Amino acid sequence: MRRFTKRQTNFKTFLIAALAILLSSCSKKQERLVLWTNNVDFVSFVELYNASQDKARIVARYYDAPTNKLASATVAARPDILAGSYLQTGIEKKVFANLNSLFGKKGPLIRDDFYEPLLKSCSHNEKQYLVPVSYNLPSLVFDSSNYENVLGATMLSFDTIKEISKNYNAKNRAGVYTAMGFGPLWSKDFLYLVFRDKGVFFNVQGQKISYTENMFERSVDFVRDWVNEVNEGVKNEEDFAFKYLYMPFYSQVQNGRCLFSFASSRDLMSLSNDKIRALDFRWICNDGKIQIEDDFVSVGVLSKSKHKGAAKKFILWLLNEKTQRKILERKFKMNLETDSFGIAGGFSSLKSATEKVFPLYYRVMISNTPVADRLAAPQAFPANWERIKKNVVEPYILAACSGDDSKNKSIDERYEDFLASEVK
């Protein structure tokens, strides 16, 4: 009887031990999440996050327009996290979960730590559906030897650009321009910035693109007056660009032919040290505000995700100054600094990271750190806005400003051509 009791006790001990092992293995079982993105840096972020902990494993997949991809995906195939540019339209479609629980007076995320315009662009009805990750700003680049010509301005308004450029202009005896400060027609991206800063709003609805026509006409007049007043006409700007501006933006200002060249912070900060060493730059502003570029990056959790808690932990890990310091440190140690600028291709949405950490790695920022209360966020655009802008909107603006009626198809005709090319 004692033997039987002893065996029974041993068996119970074995069952308890086996159950403990089983429970232990279950507790260590990783949650598996899927992240869709149109920003390749998130592939690297996911790898770093997976290596930093063992409670969850995220798989990253790249799509040009992840929000559009959702429409054709089955519920089972949908991701848990979306990250990248042009995600805001998903807010109205109720794609994303409410992330207000991440923000509080004591954390884990604090609203004052972020750039306010970006946070607002990622919210609706006081609910935070996306969290901004990174952004870029428009700038005018110049050679450091021309510092005195910039009049010590910390930012450049359109009026200041016009004044400085006109003072820099020079002609030969034949009356042909041998130096030109800046021409707005040289860059379609710059023209687009002028129109956005002047209050032109573009809206894509199905097969049509609409815009605020009165502000559009005023912007055309503004650019034409600029071209005529400063550079004495479209032909002068076009001829000068043809002769001298066939090289990359950073080389254009180094031979002294022109004073300014337009560049996104993304392209400027991605230059190697030997190229950027002789350059300086200023942010472009209008009415004291610097327009954040359209394609700022954000991240959100899908409302139908079964792993919301684990997905939020990834966001908290990424939007942390210490994490971002490690990401930049790794980037520069591995000589990846020219592969992609900063965090996800831009300045960090965390003010402390951009103001304190970035200048350690991007020395040209020391005297040109973005000022938080000067930034203005863009409107929400559809997922394929970047292609629409490059192929439809910007060529339409350039044709209108240069007065080339032969090239000035209506914006609807241009959009129809674009849609037809997309189908092919």
Side-chain angles (χ1 to χ4, degrees):
M1 189 71 180
R2 286 179 183 174
R3 251 183 229 172
F4 177 79
T5 305
K6 189 175 181 179
R7 284 179 186 172
Q8 194 176 36
T9 302
N10 289 341
F11 183 68
K12 285 181 180 178
T13 304
F14 171 77
L15 281 178
I16 292 170
L19 184 59
I21 293 171
L22 181 62
L23 289 173
S24 175
S25 64
C26 287
S27 65
K28 291 181 180 180
K29 186 178 180 181
Q30 293 180 323
E31 286 189 79
R32 297 183 65 84
L33 294 80
V34 176
L35 178 149
W36 286 3
T37 184
N38 55 15
N39 185 298
V40 294
D41 278 15
F42 274 87
V43 177
S44 175
F45 298 160
V46 163
E47 289 176 358
L48 289 172
Y49 181 69
N50 288 342
S52 72
Q53 47 77 51
D54 60 1
K55 294 182 179 180
R57 179 169 180 78
I58 303 176
V59 177
R61 292 173 183 162
Y62 182 90
Y63 296 104
D64 261 351
T67 50
N68 287 354
K69 182 72 177 176
L70 284 174
S72 59
T74 63
V75 174
R78 289 189 172 193
D80 301 283
I81 305 169
L82 248 59
S85 303
Y86 302 115
L87 303 184
Q88 300 98 298
T89 54
I91 295 176
E92 293 182 2
K93 296 176 181 177
K94 300 182 179 179
V95 168
F96 299 106
N98 183 351
L99 298 179
N100 277 4
S101 61
L102 295 182
F103 292 86
K105 292 182 179 179
K106 296 183 179 180
L109 298 180
I110 300 172
R111 292 188 178 278
D112 287 346
D113 290 347
F114 291 82
Y115 293 94
E116 184 183 9
L118 288 174
L119 269 183
K120 285 187 176 180
S121 288
C122 293
S123 65
H124 182 66
N125 290 336
E126 298 185 355
K127 294 179 181 178
Q128 200 71 46
Y129 292 100
L130 295 167
V131 183
V133 176
S134 65
Y135 67 96
N136 279 284
L137 299 175
S139 72
L140 282 186
V141 180
F142 59 95
D143 191 89
S144 299
S145 63
N146 278 321
Y147 178 79
E148 290 184 1
N149 290 308
V150 183
L151 307 177
T154 55
M155 296 189 295
L156 294 173
S157 67
F158 296 140
D159 288 339
T160 303
I161 297 167
K162 288 166 64 177
E163 178 189 353
I164 295 173
S165 297
K166 192 171 185 177
N167 292 338
Y168 191 83
N169 286 358
K171 297 179 182 178
N172 60 20
R173 291 181 179 179
V176 177
Y177 280 95
T178 55
M180 193 174 280
F182 182 72
L185 301 180
W186 294 348
S187 168
K188 287 186 284 188
D189 288 334
F190 179 81
L191 283 178
Y192 175 77
L193 172 66
V194 171
F195 277 62
R196 293 286 292 110
D197 272 351
K198 290 294 181 180
V200 180
F201 290 88
F202 295 93
N203 186 35
V204 181
Q205 292 288 345
Q207 307 293 312
K208 298 286 183 180
I209 297 181
S210 60
Y211 56 84
T212 44
E213 294 187 18
N214 60 329
M215 299 310 299
F216 188 93
E217 294 304 322
R218 289 183 188 178
S219 300
V220 170
D221 291 340
F222 176 80
V223 172
R224 287 182 177 177
D225 289 344
W226 180 338
V227 172
N228 291 327
E229 176 190 341
V230 177
N231 299 323
E232 299 182 328
V234 172
K235 191 174 188 306
N236 284 330
E237 282 198 13
E238 291 179 341
D239 288 349
F240 188 89
F242 180 77
K243 288 179 183 177
Y244 303 117
L245 305 183
Y246 48 83
M247 67 279 285
F249 75 90
Y250 52 86
S251 299
Q252 293 173 6
V253 298
Q254 291 176 339
N255 60 15
R257 291 290 185 181
C258 68
L259 176 58
F260 293 124
S261 178
F262 178 81
S264 165
S265 57
R266 176 193 300 104
D267 299 324
L268 174 62
M269 300 294 174
S270 296
L271 293 177
S272 59
N273 286 331
D274 61 315
K275 290 177 181 175
I276 204 171
R277 188 176 294 115
L279 300 177
D280 204 341
F281 70 96
R282 295 291 183 271
W283 306 123
I284 303 170
C285 67
N286 182 53
D287 293 332
K289 294 293 184 180
I290 309 169
Q291 184 70 234
I292 293 170
E293 295 185 354
D294 295 343
D295 60 348
F296 76 86
V297 176
S298 58
V299 61
V301 179
L302 264 70
S303 58
K304 295 184 179 179
S305 169
K306 296 180 180 179
H307 307 282
K308 290 186 181 70
K312 289 177 182 179
K313 287 180 181 178
F314 169 73
I315 293 175
L316 293 176
W317 171 85
L318 178 61
L319 293 169
N320 178 280
E321 184 185 321
K322 290 182 181 179
T323 297
Q324 296 193 359
R325 187 185 290 269
K326 289 179 182 177
I327 289 172
L328 290 176
E329 183 179 334
R330 175 178 178 269
K331 186 191 293 279
F332 277 78
K333 276 187 177 180
M334 297 179 66
N335 293 318
L336 299 175
E337 67 270 23
T338 58
D339 183 51
S340 175
F341 162 52
I343 300 296
F347 296 116
S348 173
S349 61
L350 289 171
K351 288 185 286 188
S352 62
T354 292
E355 293 170 1
K356 298 176 185 177
V357 182
F358 272 58
L360 300 175
Y361 298 96
Y362 302 96
R363 305 294 291 179
V364 73
M365 278 184 61
I366 291 176
S367 59
N368 290 286
T369 305
V371 181
D373 61 2
R374 295 285 192 178
L375 303 187
Q379 66 184 89
F381 289 106
N384 60 344
W385 176 247
E386 204 62 31
R387 294 199 302 278
I388 294 173
K389 181 169 68 176
K390 297 298 181 186
N391 293 285
V392 180
V393 175
E394 289 187 342
Y396 180 68
I397 290 174
L398 177 61
C401 291
S402 62
D404 190 347
D405 294 331
S406 66
K407 295 180 180 178
N408 200 16
K409 290 182 179 180
S410 72
I411 198 166
D412 288 335
E413 289 175 317
R414 292 176 182 273
Y415 190 46
E416 286 174 8
D417 293 342
F418 167 76
L419 292 175
S421 67
E422 290 283 282
V423 172
K424 293 177 182 180

Coordinates of all heavy atoms in Angstrom, one line a residue, residues 283-344:
W283 N 16.1 77.0 -44.5 CA 14.8 76.5 -44.7 C 14.0 77.6 -45.4 O 14.2 78.8 -45.2 CB 14.1 76.2 -43.4 CG 14.8 75.2 -42.5 CD1 15.3 75.4 -41.2 CD2 15.3 73.9 -42.9 NE1 15.9 74.3 -40.8 CE2 15.9 73.4 -41.7 CE3 15.1 73.1 -44.0 CZ2 16.5 72.1 -41.7 CZ3 15.7 71.8 -44.0 CH2 16.3 71.3 -42.9
I284 N 13.0 77.1 -46.3 CA 12.2 78.1 -47.0 C 10.9 78.2 -46.2 O 10.2 77.2 -45.8 CB 11.9 77.5 -48.4 CG1 13.2 77.3 -49.2 CG2 11.0 78.5 -49.2 CD1 13.0 76.5 -50.5
C285 N 10.5 79.5 -46.0 CA 9.3 79.7 -45.2 C 8.3 80.7 -45.9 O 8.7 81.4 -46.9 CB 9.6 80.3 -43.8 SG 10.3 82.0 -43.9
N286 N 7.1 80.7 -45.5 CA 6.1 81.6 -46.0 C 5.2 82.1 -44.8 O 4.7 81.2 -44.1 CB 5.2 81.0 -47.1 CG 4.2 82.0 -47.6 OD1 4.6 83.1 -48.1 ND2 3.0 81.6 -47.7
D287 N 5.1 83.4 -44.6 CA 4.4 83.9 -43.4 C 4.9 83.2 -42.1 O 4.2 82.9 -41.2 CB 2.9 83.6 -43.5 CG 2.3 84.4 -44.7 OD1 2.8 85.5 -45.0 OD2 1.2 83.9 -45.2
G288 N 6.2 83.0 -42.1 CA 6.9 82.5 -40.9 C 6.8 81.0 -40.7 O 7.3 80.5 -39.7
K289 N 6.1 80.3 -41.6 CA 5.9 78.9 -41.4 C 6.7 78.1 -42.5 O 6.8 78.5 -43.7 CB 4.5 78.5 -41.6 CG 3.6 79.1 -40.4 CD 3.9 78.4 -39.1 CE 3.0 78.8 -38.0 NZ 3.3 78.2 -36.7
I290 N 7.3 77.0 -42.1 CA 8.0 76.0 -43.0 C 7.1 74.9 -43.3 O 6.6 74.2 -42.3 CB 9.3 75.5 -42.4 CG1 10.1 76.7 -41.8 CG2 10.1 74.7 -43.4 CD1 11.3 76.2 -41.0
Q291 N 6.8 74.6 -44.5 CA 5.8 73.6 -44.9 C 6.5 72.2 -44.9 O 7.5 72.0 -45.6 CB 5.3 73.9 -46.3 CG 4.2 72.9 -46.8 CD 2.9 73.1 -46.1 OE1 2.4 72.1 -45.5 NE2 2.4 74.3 -46.1
I292 N 6.0 71.4 -44.0 CA 6.5 70.0 -44.0 C 6.1 69.3 -45.3 O 5.0 69.5 -45.8 CB 5.8 69.2 -42.8 CG1 6.4 69.8 -41.5 CG2 6.1 67.7 -42.9 CD1 5.6 69.3 -40.3
E293 N 7.0 68.5 -45.9 CA 6.7 67.9 -47.2 C 5.6 66.9 -47.0 O 5.4 66.3 -46.0 CB 8.0 67.3 -47.7 CG 9.0 68.3 -48.1 CD 10.3 67.8 -48.7 OE1 10.4 66.6 -48.9 OE2 11.1 68.6 -49.1
D294 N 4.9 66.6 -48.2 CA 3.7 65.8 -48.2 C 3.9 64.4 -47.6 O 3.0 63.8 -47.0 CB 3.1 65.7 -49.6 CG 2.7 67.0 -50.2 OD1 2.5 68.0 -49.4 OD2 2.5 67.1 -51.4
D295 N 5.0 63.8 -47.9 CA 5.2 62.4 -47.6 C 5.8 62.1 -46.2 O 6.6 61.1 -46.1 CB 6.1 61.8 -48.7 CG 7.5 62.4 -48.8 OD1 7.7 63.5 -48.1 OD2 8.4 61.8 -49.4
F296 N 5.4 62.8 -45.2 CA 5.9 62.5 -43.9 C 5.4 61.1 -43.5 O 4.4 60.6 -44.0 CB 5.4 63.5 -42.8 CG 4.0 63.5 -42.4 CD1 3.6 62.7 -41.4 CD2 3.0 64.3 -43.0 CE1 2.3 62.6 -40.9 CE2 1.7 64.2 -42.6 CZ 1.4 63.4 -41.6
V297 N 6.2 60.4 -42.6 CA 6.0 59.0 -42.3 C 5.3 58.9 -40.9 O 5.6 59.6 -40.0 CB 7.4 58.3 -42.2 CG1 7.2 56.9 -41.8 CG2 8.0 58.4 -43.6
S298 N 4.3 58.0 -40.9 CA 3.6 57.7 -39.6 C 3.4 56.2 -39.5 O 3.7 55.4 -40.4 CB 2.3 58.4 -39.6 OG 1.5 58.0 -40.7
V299 N 2.9 55.8 -38.3 CA 2.7 54.3 -38.1 C 1.4 54.2 -37.3 O 1.0 55.0 -36.5 CB 3.9 53.7 -37.3 CG1 4.1 54.4 -35.9 CG2 3.7 52.2 -37.1
G300 N 0.7 53.1 -37.6 CA -0.6 52.9 -36.9 C -0.9 51.4 -36.8 O -0.3 50.5 -37.4
V301 N -1.8 51.1 -35.9 CA -2.2 49.7 -35.6 C -3.6 49.5 -36.3 O -4.5 50.3 -36.1 CB -2.3 49.4 -34.1 CG1 -2.8 48.0 -33.9 CG2 -1.0 49.7 -33.5
L302 N -3.8 48.4 -37.0 CA -5.1 48.2 -37.6 C -6.2 47.9 -36.6 O -5.9 47.2 -35.6 CB -5.0 47.0 -38.6 CG -4.8 47.5 -40.1 CD1 -3.4 48.1 -40.3 CD2 -5.1 46.4 -41.1
S303 N -7.3 48.4 -36.8 CA -8.4 48.3 -35.9 C -8.8 46.8 -35.7 O -9.4 46.4 -34.6 CB -9.6 49.1 -36.3 OG -10.1 48.7 -37.6
K304 N -8.6 46.0 -36.7 CA -9.0 44.6 -36.6 C -7.9 43.6 -36.3 O -8.0 42.4 -36.3 CB -9.7 44.1 -37.9 CG -11.0 44.9 -38.3 CD -11.6 44.3 -39.5 CE -12.9 45.1 -39.8 NZ -13.6 44.6 -41.0
S305 N -6.7 44.2 -35.9 CA -5.6 43.4 -35.5 C -5.9 42.6 -34.2 O -6.6 43.1 -33.3 CB -4.4 44.2 -35.2 OG -3.4 43.5 -34.6
K306 N -5.5 41.4 -34.1 CA -5.6 40.5 -32.9 C -4.4 40.7 -31.9 O -4.4 40.0 -30.9 CB -5.8 39.1 -33.3 CG -7.1 38.8 -34.1 CD -7.2 37.3 -34.4 CE -8.5 37.1 -35.2 NZ -8.7 35.7 -35.6
H307 N -3.5 41.5 -32.4 CA -2.3 41.7 -31.6 C -2.0 43.2 -31.3 O -0.9 43.6 -31.4 CB -1.1 41.1 -32.3 CG -1.3 39.7 -32.8 ND1 -1.2 38.6 -31.9 CD2 -1.6 39.2 -34.0 CE1 -1.4 37.5 -32.6 NE2 -1.7 37.8 -33.8
K308 N -3.0 43.9 -30.9 CA -2.9 45.3 -30.7 C -1.9 45.7 -29.6 O -1.1 46.6 -29.7 CB -4.3 45.9 -30.3 CG -5.3 46.0 -31.4 CD -6.5 46.7 -31.0 CE -7.6 46.8 -32.1 NZ -8.2 45.4 -32.4
G309 N -1.9 44.9 -28.5 CA -0.9 45.2 -27.4 C 0.5 45.0 -27.9 O 1.3 45.9 -27.6
A310 N 0.8 44.0 -28.6 CA 2.2 43.7 -29.1 C 2.6 44.8 -30.2 O 3.7 45.3 -30.2 CB 2.3 42.3 -29.7
A311 N 1.6 45.2 -31.0 CA 1.8 46.2 -32.0 C 2.2 47.5 -31.3 O 3.1 48.3 -31.8 CB 0.6 46.4 -32.9
K312 N 1.5 47.9 -30.3 CA 1.7 49.1 -29.6 C 3.1 49.1 -28.9 O 3.8 50.2 -28.9 CB 0.6 49.4 -28.5 CG -0.7 49.7 -29.1 CD -1.8 49.9 -28.0 CE -3.2 50.1 -28.6 NZ -4.2 50.3 -27.5
K313 N 3.5 48.0 -28.5 CA 4.9 47.9 -27.9 C 6.0 48.2 -28.9 O 7.0 48.8 -28.6 CB 5.1 46.5 -27.3 CG 4.3 46.3 -26.0 CD 4.5 44.9 -25.4 CE 3.7 44.7 -24.1 NZ 3.9 43.3 -23.6
F314 N 5.7 47.8 -30.2 CA 6.7 48.1 -31.2 C 6.8 49.6 -31.4 O 7.8 50.2 -31.6 CB 6.3 47.4 -32.5 CG 7.1 47.9 -33.7 CD1 8.4 47.6 -33.9 CD2 6.5 48.7 -34.7 CE1 9.1 48.0 -35.0 CE2 7.2 49.2 -35.8 CZ 8.5 48.8 -35.9
I315 N 5.6 50.3 -31.4 CA 5.5 51.7 -31.6 C 6.3 52.4 -30.5 O 7.0 53.4 -30.7 CB 4.1 52.2 -31.7 CG1 3.4 51.7 -33.0 CG2 4.0 53.7 -31.7 CD1 2.0 52.0 -33.2
L316 N 6.0 52.0 -29.3 CA 6.7 52.6 -28.1 C 8.2 52.4 -28.2 O 9.0 53.3 -27.8 CB 6.2 52.0 -26.8 CG 4.7 52.3 -26.5 CD1 4.3 51.5 -25.2 CD2 4.5 53.8 -26.3
W317 N 8.6 51.2 -28.7 CA 10.1 51.0 -28.8 C 10.7 51.9 -29.8 O 11.7 52.5 -29.6 CB 10.3 49.5 -29.2 CG 11.7 49.2 -29.6 CD1 12.7 48.8 -28.8 CD2 12.2 49.2 -31.0 NE1 13.9 48.6 -29.5 CE2 13.6 48.8 -30.9 CE3 11.7 49.5 -32.2 CZ2 14.4 48.7 -32.0 CZ3 12.5 49.4 -33.3 CH2 13.9 49.0 -33.2
L318 N 10.0 52.1 -31.0 CA 10.5 52.9 -32.1 C 10.6 54.4 -31.7 O 11.5 55.1 -32.0 CB 9.7 52.7 -33.3 CG 10.1 53.5 -34.6 CD1 11.6 53.2 -35.0 CD2 9.2 53.2 -35.7
L319 N 9.5 54.9 -31.1 CA 9.4 56.3 -30.8 C 9.9 56.6 -29.4 O 9.3 57.1 -28.5 CB 7.9 56.7 -30.9 CG 7.4 56.7 -32.4 CD1 6.0 56.8 -32.5 CD2 8.2 57.7 -33.2
N320 N 11.2 56.3 -29.3 CA 11.9 56.4 -28.1 C 13.3 57.0 -28.4 O 14.0 56.5 -29.3 CB 12.1 55.1 -27.4 CG 12.9 55.2 -26.1 OD1 14.1 55.2 -26.1 ND2 12.2 55.2 -25.0
E321 N 13.7 58.1 -27.7 CA 15.0 58.7 -28.1 C 16.2 57.8 -28.0 O 17.1 57.8 -28.9 CB 15.2 59.9 -27.1 CG 16.4 60.7 -27.5 CD 16.8 61.9 -26.6 OE1 15.8 62.5 -26.1 OE2 17.9 62.1 -26.3
K322 N 16.2 56.9 -27.0 CA 17.3 56.0 -26.9 C 17.4 55.0 -28.0 O 18.5 54.7 -28.6 CB 17.2 55.2 -25.5 CG 17.5 56.1 -24.3 CD 17.4 55.2 -23.0 CE 17.7 56.1 -21.8 NZ 17.6 55.3 -20.6
T323 N 16.2 54.5 -28.5 CA 16.2 53.6 -29.6 C 16.7 54.3 -30.9 O 17.5 53.8 -31.6 CB 14.7 53.1 -29.8 OG1 14.3 52.4 -28.7 CG2 14.7 52.3 -31.1
Q324 N 16.2 55.6 -31.1 CA 16.6 56.3 -32.3 C 18.1 56.7 -32.3 O 18.7 56.7 -33.3 CB 15.7 57.5 -32.4 CG 14.2 57.1 -32.7 CD 13.3 58.2 -33.1 OE1 13.8 59.3 -33.3 NE2 12.1 57.9 -33.4
R325 N 18.6 56.9 -31.1 CA 20.1 57.2 -31.0 C 20.8 55.9 -31.4 O 21.8 56.0 -32.1 CB 20.4 57.5 -29.5 CG 21.9 58.0 -29.4 CD 22.1 58.2 -27.9 NE 21.5 59.4 -27.4 CZ 22.0 60.6 -27.4 NH1 23.2 60.8 -27.8 NH2 21.3 61.6 -26.9
K326 N 20.3 54.7 -31.0 CA 21.0 53.5 -31.4 C 20.9 53.2 -32.9 O 21.8 52.7 -33.5 CB 20.4 52.3 -30.6 CG 20.7 52.3 -29.1 CD 20.0 51.1 -28.4 CE 20.4 51.1 -26.9 NZ 19.6 50.0 -26.2
I327 N 19.7 53.6 -33.5 CA 19.5 53.4 -34.9 C 20.5 54.3 -35.7 O 21.2 53.8 -36.6 CB 18.1 53.7 -35.3 CG1 17.1 52.7 -34.8 CG2 17.9 53.9 -36.8 CD1 15.6 53.0 -34.9
L328 N 20.7 55.5 -35.3 CA 21.6 56.4 -36.0 C 23.1 56.0 -35.7 O 23.9 56.0 -36.7 CB 21.4 57.9 -35.5 CG 20.1 58.5 -35.9 CD1 20.0 59.9 -35.3 CD2 20.0 58.6 -37.4
E329 N 23.4 55.5 -34.5 CA 24.7 55.1 -34.2 C 25.1 53.9 -35.1 O 26.1 53.8 -35.7 CB 24.8 54.7 -32.7 CG 26.2 54.3 -32.3 CD 26.2 53.9 -30.8 OE1 25.4 54.5 -30.1 OE2 27.1 53.1 -30.4
R330 N 24.1 52.9 -35.2 CA 24.3 51.8 -36.1 C 24.5 52.1 -37.5 O 25.4 51.6 -38.2 CB 23.1 50.8 -35.9 CG 23.2 49.6 -36.8 CD 22.0 48.7 -36.5 NE 21.9 47.5 -37.4 CZ 21.3 47.5 -38.5 NH1 20.6 48.6 -39.0 NH2 21.3 46.4 -39.3
K331 N 23.7 53.1 -38.0 CA 23.7 53.5 -39.4 C 25.1 54.1 -39.7 O 25.7 53.8 -40.8 CB 22.6 54.6 -39.6 CG 22.5 55.1 -41.0 CD 21.6 56.3 -41.1 CE 20.2 56.1 -40.7 NZ 19.4 55.5 -41.8
F332 N 25.7 54.9 -38.8 CA 26.9 55.5 -39.1 C 28.1 54.5 -38.9 O 29.1 54.6 -39.6 CB 27.1 56.8 -38.3 CG 26.4 58.0 -38.9 CD1 25.1 58.1 -38.8 CD2 27.2 58.9 -39.6 CE1 24.4 59.2 -39.4 CE2 26.5 60.0 -40.2 CZ 25.2 60.1 -40.2
K333 N 28.0 53.6 -37.9 CA 29.0 52.7 -37.7 C 29.2 51.7 -38.9 O 30.3 51.3 -39.3 CB 28.8 51.9 -36.5 CG 29.2 52.5 -35.2 CD 29.1 51.6 -34.0 CE 29.6 52.3 -32.7 NZ 29.4 51.4 -31.5
M334 N 28.0 51.4 -39.5 CA 28.0 50.5 -40.7 C 28.2 51.3 -42.0 O 28.0 50.7 -43.1 CB 26.7 49.7 -40.7 CG 26.6 48.8 -39.5 SD 25.1 47.8 -39.5 CE 25.3 46.8 -40.9
N335 N 28.4 52.6 -41.9 CA 28.6 53.4 -43.1 C 27.3 53.4 -44.0 O 27.4 53.4 -45.2 CB 29.8 53.0 -44.0 CG 31.1 53.3 -43.2 OD1 31.3 54.3 -42.6 ND2 32.0 52.3 -43.3
L336 N 26.2 53.4 -43.3 CA 24.9 53.4 -44.0 C 24.3 54.8 -44.1 O 23.1 55.0 -44.5 CB 23.9 52.5 -43.3 CG 24.3 51.0 -43.3 CD1 23.3 50.3 -42.4 CD2 24.4 50.4 -44.6
E337 N 25.0 55.9 -43.7 CA 24.5 57.2 -43.6 C 24.0 57.8 -44.9 O 23.1 58.6 -44.9 CB 25.5 58.2 -42.9 CG 26.7 58.5 -43.7 CD 27.8 57.5 -43.4 OE1 27.6 56.4 -43.0 OE2 29.0 57.9 -43.7
T338 N 24.6 57.4 -46.0 CA 24.1 57.9 -47.3 C 23.0 57.0 -47.9 O 22.5 57.4 -49.0 CB 25.3 58.0 -48.3 OG1 25.9 56.7 -48.5 CG2 26.4 59.0 -47.8
D339 N 22.8 55.9 -47.3 CA 21.7 55.0 -47.8 C 20.3 55.6 -47.6 O 19.5 55.6 -48.4 CB 21.8 53.6 -47.1 CG 20.8 52.6 -47.7 OD1 20.8 52.5 -48.9 OD2 20.1 52.0 -46.9
S340 N 20.1 56.2 -46.4 CA 18.9 56.8 -46.1 C 19.1 57.8 -44.9 O 19.8 57.5 -44.0 CB 17.8 55.7 -45.6 OG 16.7 56.3 -45.2
F341 N 18.5 58.9 -45.1 CA 18.7 60.0 -44.1 C 17.9 59.7 -42.8 O 16.7 59.4 -42.8 CB 18.3 61.3 -44.7 CG 18.1 62.4 -43.7 CD1 19.0 62.7 -42.7 CD2 16.9 63.2 -43.7 CE1 18.8 63.7 -41.8 CE2 16.7 64.2 -42.7 CZ 17.7 64.5 -41.8
G342 N 18.6 59.9 -41.6 CA 17.9 60.0 -40.4 C 17.1 58.8 -40.0 O 17.5 57.6 -40.1
I343 N 15.9 59.0 -39.5 CA 14.9 58.0 -39.1 C 13.9 57.9 -40.2 O 13.1 58.8 -40.4 CB 14.3 58.3 -37.7 CG1 15.3 58.5 -36.6 CG2 13.2 57.3 -37.3 CD1 16.1 57.2 -36.3
A344 N 13.8 56.7 -40.8 CA 12.8 56.5 -41.9 C 12.9 57.5 -43.0 O 11.9 58.0 -43.5 CB 11.4 56.4 -41.3

